[in-house]
Amino acid sequence: MKPAVKKRVFSGIQPTGNIHLGNYLGAIRNWVETQDQYDNIFCIVDLHAITLPIDPKELHANVRKLAALYLACGLDLKSCKLFVQSQVHQHAELDWILNCFTPMGWLNRMTQFKTKAGSEMDTVGAGLYCYPVLMACDILLYQTHYVPVGDDQRQHVELTRDLAQRFNNIYNKSIFTLPEAQIRDAGARIMSLEDPTKKMSKSDPNPSAYITLLDDPKMIKKKIARATTDSERVVAFDPARPGITNLLSIYQILTGQSQQEIEADFEGKGYGDFKAALTDRLVETLSPIQQRYNEIINDMAALENLLKQGADDVRPIAERTVQKVKKAVGLG
């Protein structure tokens, strides 16, 4: 019997700012734990990063930093392919073609453009408006089955499916695989330490609102000590108390304990005891990642070779899709 063909997973993160705890617990840790189950393709989407102004040197450095963190978190290149988006030109090539098939009305409904553009909607670059199409191309190039995303990215996967279906229907061919959003409940939404009604974000102007994977123990202790809770002083899960519930959710993911077990452990104890225990867990989790990261980032030549190999590995997959699309459209 032939071995079962693994389903393909594609995902990527922009190389802007630092990877924070929410990225790790909500996405990267899950990738690591399930990487043997799928055919994994992970991409550092640097083309998306230039939709808003960014310093060139910062962008270049952030790409390498992000790659090193991916590997330090446990991604195994025997089980996945890791590459930089701009090193595979087929992303940009397919993007132009599918932009020509994307109705303006579909892009007008995308909420993230309105959020990011704000009052500057008439002056921001067109790339910010069209980047959902590039995101769709990232996914469709590799005939992806599953896209692990947070709930806030569900709309982008739906647009990707709509585009794939539209193109397939126009040419009456199964050119694109229709991907499915893979949304996990546990850890899918780690909230801000400062405002627990908002998702933790690396673009938050307040660095106390998030913990990065490279924060040292003193910084972690300081941020957790300052994290928003409430005046009740009872360590218990309660949706009406988002501050303490957010911290408890982080603790639950790190320990694997049930809500009942955690509440029993801290019965009669205050927030100080709980925050100290959470700090210890965070330091214990992040220290080996930081040690491995320093080893990787200090051997830049080896890291560059790994990224080049990743691009070389995925480029033939992407090219096969582009050729199918160009043949259908009549290009070339």
Side-chain angles (χ1 to χ4, degrees), residues 16-161:
T16 51
N18 292 311
I19 294 184
H20 59 66
L21 189 66
N23 299 139
Y24 176 66
L25 297 181
I28 300 172
R29 197 177 76 148
N30 293 325
W31 298 351
V32 172
E33 290 175 350
T34 62
Q35 60 185 324
D36 292 335
Q37 300 175 25
Y38 302 104
D39 176 14
N40 305 285
I41 296 178
F42 298 121
C43 178
I44 300 173
V45 290
D46 54 341
L47 292 175
H48 289 284
I50 63 172
T51 56
L52 293 172
I54 185 170
D55 178 81
K57 292 182 180 179
E58 179 184 348
L59 175 58
H60 184 85
N62 280 348
V63 167
R64 278 75 193 164
K65 183 177 180 179
L66 181 58
L69 277 170
Y70 271 179
L71 297 171
C73 287
L75 288 186
D76 186 347
L77 297 185
K78 295 177 182 178
S79 300
C80 68
K81 298 175 179 66
L82 174 64
F83 71 102
V84 180
Q85 181 188 33
S86 63
Q87 294 180 6
V88 179
H89 68 79
Q90 287 83 358
H91 287 257
E93 188 173 4
L94 183 61
D95 178 48
W96 171 251
I97 297 173
L98 287 196
N99 263 303
C100 296
F101 287 83
T102 306
M104 293 280 286
W106 290 10
L107 294 179
N108 287 338
R109 291 195 292 269
M110 301 304 290
T111 57
Q112 287 204 347
F113 169 72
K114 299 171 187 176
T115 300
K116 290 188 175 183
S119 61
E120 307 295 325
M121 201 168 292
D122 291 333
T123 58
V124 295
L128 185 63
Y129 180 72
C130 297
Y131 90 95
V133 181
L134 177 58
M135 186 179 291
C137 293
D138 297 337
I139 298 165
L140 297 176
L141 266 176
Y142 301 101
Q143 305 297 339
T144 300
H145 298 100
Y146 301 123
V147 187
V149 292
D151 190 60
D152 59 329
Q153 292 289 325
R154 186 191 299 269
Q155 187 184 36
H156 286 282
V157 180
E158 291 173 352
L159 175 71
T160 302
R161 288 176 58 86

Side-chain angles (χ1 to χ4, degrees), residues 29 212 331:
R29 197 177 76 148
T212 80
L331 296 173

Side-chain angles (χ1 to χ4, degrees), residues 196 229-230 232-246 271:
T229 49
D230 52 58
E232 291 196 26
R233 315 297 296 171
V234 177
V235 182
F237 290 85
D238 182 353
R241 301 161 59 212
I244 186 62
T245 298
N246 182 43
Y271 288 165

